[in-house]
Amino acid sequence: MCAGKDNNAARLLANYCDTLLRKGNATARAAGEAGASSEDNLEKQLTQAICVYRYLKEQDVFQVAYGRFFARRLVNEQSVSSHGEEMMISLLKEVSGMDFTSRLSRMFSDITVSKEMSERFKETMRDKRGDDFEFDMKVLNTGSWPLKAPETKLKLPAELDRAVDQYLEFYSKSHSGRRFNWLWQYSKAEIKMFFPKATGPAAKTGYLFQVSTYQLAIMMLFNAESGPGTGYDSEDGPTLTFGQILTATELDKDTALGELEVLCKARVFNTSDGNKATDTAQYTLNSGYKSKRMRMNLAGLRKPDAKKDAKDIQKSVDQDRSMSIQAAIVRIMKARKQLVHRELVQATIEIIKLFHPQISDIKQAISKLIDNGFLARDEDNRDVYNYLA
């Protein structure tokens, strides 16, 4: 299976819908009729996108790509409005039915339930917690979300680790027997930093940074009164080697380097290698940090890898198609019991509507079903398949 022009069209359409439904893209949504409200323009543009979707030959590619964009918007709280998301789900339901949209609805429901749980947690812990920070958790059903497990371990800062334990204790009182897989790569934090040599308003109010959880774990090492590095009594704060950062955070080498590169480019850290993030450098806080902006988003400086995303989408599509073709063949053979190869291929093409299956993929699916004991070649005619109940 390979990506063709139709696959590219499906991904581009999914990307266009994501642009319309994501915060920060008001210009795209305003490109509708003059004088119309933004909600009216959004509805019209989404309706036009669905018209294009109806004519896609490879609708499954759109569904996988759109599902990933949808998940990313919900997790990062970047949806322009709940109404817009619900409107798109409703439009997709008219074309694709419940098979696709039920999964989107479950994802949407998880976010709603998580918000309610977070509010109850905050209310319960209001008088118990001494930590001076807000803590919000999203509990997502693994089977509904196209999110990967993290590729690295992470040792949380003590303050955050304590809050996680408190939430787990709270959650287990109403939900027993559930196992959590932490997806720290999708998590974010806001941290206020006061730099020793800051001047002007920043000296009093500090700078507010939005950071990834990985960046937070690294930055908190420089906030401790003592730790793995040296120079904690220095005016500029401690100095840590790359090895000490790896040991303290338990991040893998590539992840740590990527996050340190962002922090060094933003001039939050100084390094001994000309402000470059390397595995041989020593890192110190930039005590004289200056910026006209009092609030900065460092988490958003690492953009998703578009090529990797496309490759992951295609891999997921290929896996889903393989299972869909095998399921279609089993349904056909269960009803017909015996079929000639040519008739089975034709029936499979006709029964699958979501994409156009390639003959080579159908042959491969038949071979897998024979290996797994669902089909067998007829002893008298090798071009005929028998269904094995």
Side-chain angles (χ1 to χ4, degrees), residues 164-308:
V164 169
D165 288 342
Q166 289 171 339
Y167 186 87
L168 285 178
E169 183 182 353
F170 162 80
Y171 189 86
S172 63
K173 289 179 180 177
S174 54
H175 302 83
S176 60
R178 299 193 179 182
R179 185 168 64 89
F180 281 78
N181 295 313
W182 301 104
L183 306 181
W184 299 120
Q185 73 274 33
Y186 300 107
S187 305
K188 294 180 181 178
E190 282 191 348
I191 182 171
K192 180 172 282 191
M193 293 187 66
F194 294 86
F195 294 87
K197 297 178 182 177
T199 58
K204 292 183 178 180
T205 62
Y207 292 96
L208 190 65
F209 295 102
Q210 187 179 71
V211 296
S212 70
T213 307
Y214 296 153
Q215 291 169 348
L216 176 70
I218 294 171
M219 295 167 84
M220 290 296 285
L221 297 177
F222 294 82
N223 195 48
E225 294 181 1
S226 63
T230 59
Y232 281 85
D233 56 348
S234 166
E235 183 182 2
D236 294 328
T239 297
L240 276 75
T241 66
F242 182 73
Q244 288 169 333
I245 291 173
L246 285 188
T247 301
T249 61
E250 297 185 6
L251 292 170
D252 65 33
K253 182 177 178 180
D254 290 340
T255 302
L257 275 176
E259 301 298 354
L260 283 166
E261 183 179 7
V262 171
L263 296 171
C264 291
K265 283 185 176 180
R267 302 291 180 180
V268 175
F269 287 169
N270 288 327
T271 81
S272 58
D273 285 359
N275 269 8
K276 293 181 180 179
T278 65
D279 56 2
T280 58
Q282 292 184 327
Y283 298 85
T284 57
L285 192 69
N286 179 9
S287 58
Y289 177 84
K290 289 182 181 179
S291 175
K292 294 180 179 179
R293 299 166 60 186
M294 304 300 291
R295 183 187 182 102
M296 290 186 65
N297 181 7
L298 301 182
L301 295 181
R302 292 196 72 184
K303 302 297 182 183
D305 188 334
K307 289 184 178 180
K308 187 176 183 297

Side-chain angles (χ1 to χ4, degrees), residues 6-24:
D6 289 324
N7 289 19
N8 291 333
R11 281 198 294 268
L12 287 171
L13 182 62
N15 190 66
Y16 171 70
C17 293
D18 179 56
T19 301
L20 293 177
L21 291 165
R22 188 165 23 91
K23 287 180 181 177

Side-chain angles (χ1 to χ4, degrees), residues 8 62 81 90 111 124 137 142 144 169 180 193 195 208 212 259 274 277 299 317 337 359 364 372 386:
N8 291 333
F62 172 89
S81 71
S90 178
I111 294 297
T124 302
M137 183 80 75
T142 302
S144 302
E169 183 182 353
F180 281 78
M193 293 187 66
F195 294 87
L208 190 65
S212 70
E259 301 298 354
V317 167
K337 304 303 180 185
I359 293 176
Q364 191 177 59
N372 293 329
N386 295 318

